[in-house]
Amino acid sequence: MRTISSKASFWIVAWVLTVSLWSSTAPSIEFPVYALQWHLSKSVTTGIFSVYPIVLILVLFLLGNLSDYIGRRNTLITGLIFLLIGAVVFATAQNVFWLFVGRIFQGLGVGLTAGSGAAALVEFNPTTNKKLPGSINTITQAVGLFLATIVGAALIKYAPAPLHFSYWVLAVLVFASIILSLFLPKQTKAQSEARPAFKLQIRGVKVPRGQWGIYLLAALAIGTGFANGAVLLSLGAQIARDVIGTQDILVIGTVLSVSYLLASVSATIAGRLKPVVSIRIGMASIVVAAVLLFSAAEVHSFLLFMSSSVLGGLAYGFSASGGIGLAAINSQAHNRVQFLSAVLVAAYLFQGTSAYGGGVASSTLGFSTAIGMMSVIIAVLALSTFLLAIKKSKNKEAIAAEPATP
């Protein structure tokens, strides 16, 4: 099959990543409906959410370098096939067991598309702007989250079979993405030059020697952004219902989707900034957003909740774009996918822990206490990462200021 230009390939990969995040987020807007019709507790719904990042982490850890051997295209297509199966499982789900199975397939799918897709964006980058892939990667995540929330909410309210129809729509989109991916090159020039000569071995993720400082900052930046977003993804619908006082899923979906849409705006701005600067802006914003979320849950203020959502969305774009950009710029072709996978393993570990921890805490300690606890933890993480980013900037300035040795 005839392949296409690097520019077209770049945007196909971006679309694949958008659909991947759409797939993984689609159940989140459905959780209130599942909980109502199937009488599920918050710990069960957040448990369903958390199965996904657990499986995703295992895939990244065990098969983080798979696309180095079978190619970016084949890995993306394999991931999309798993996402297609997951969508069909959700579309035909009869009980909570099916939801866990569907999340497993979604974890497998995104686990394969995330690392290979991030690497493919770098290799298909049609410009000389090295920060563009990191920015676009974050934008695809934000757009995927936005579409999953707003389109899912509209389909739940107006389409027949609210627990199933939206997944059939998603299945069609995933299938179309598989067809598009067939036009991608089997492997890029950079990958061909760096392709290992030995047989496929499961080596897990890998941090190159001398890159641990970069890894720590990138992983903390993306992970903190993911953790903050996970609170909205897993508990956001419940927070919105308590604060807004409505059962209208479209109203709830619209409120939540604003946050994700703004993340794409901040990611676009972040593409013009140095990654470390983006991280610092993102972390400072997360601290303020966490305080606002805690206050909103305590006093049931819609204004504070919207302010937290808006600021959290902007923070996500800056932090994730800065972290991915930092990792992508400082990785080499021969270890790029493993390094990016290593960063994403830590980030999704933060997401899964935050989501499930919030659900368990809300069931055992009460909703307001859980939100307060999660807000404090996320604020501390953000502040620590902010200080680490400042330290890295000062170290760079100190090195640049040293006189050359004669």
Side-chain angles (χ1 to χ4, degrees), residues 75-138:
T75 306
L76 289 172
I77 291 173
T78 304
L80 286 169
I81 290 172
F82 281 122
L83 290 175
L84 179 60
I85 295 171
V88 173
V89 170
F90 272 103
T92 56
Q94 301 299 313
N95 54 52
V96 70
F97 173 77
W98 290 56
L99 304 186
F100 280 101
V101 173
R103 290 302 272 172
I104 290 172
F105 278 109
Q106 288 179 338
L108 290 169
V110 179
L112 291 174
T113 59
S116 58
L121 286 178
V122 175
E123 293 162 359
F124 289 132
N125 185 1
T127 72
T128 57
N129 181 4
K130 292 184 178 181
K131 293 176 286 187
L132 179 65
S135 179
I136 294 299
N137 196 328
T138 305

Side-chain angles (χ1 to χ4, degrees), residues 176-245:
S177 301
I178 293 173
I179 301 301
L180 282 174
S181 298
L182 292 173
F183 291 93
L184 293 173
K186 289 185 178 179
Q187 58 187 32
T188 64
K189 180 180 178 182
Q191 189 187 350
S192 299
E193 294 171 351
R195 187 185 183 94
F198 48 87
K199 298 170 72 174
L200 172 63
Q201 295 178 342
I202 297 175
R203 297 188 298 169
V205 296
K206 181 179 180 181
V207 178
R209 183 179 300 176
Q211 295 288 77
W212 277 98
I214 297 292
Y215 170 77
L216 181 62
L217 181 56
L220 280 173
I222 304 171
T224 304
F226 276 21
N228 185 61
V231 174
L232 283 180
L233 284 174
S234 59
L235 295 174
Q238 179 65 48
I239 297 171
R241 281 193 299 177
D242 286 359
V243 172
I244 301 171

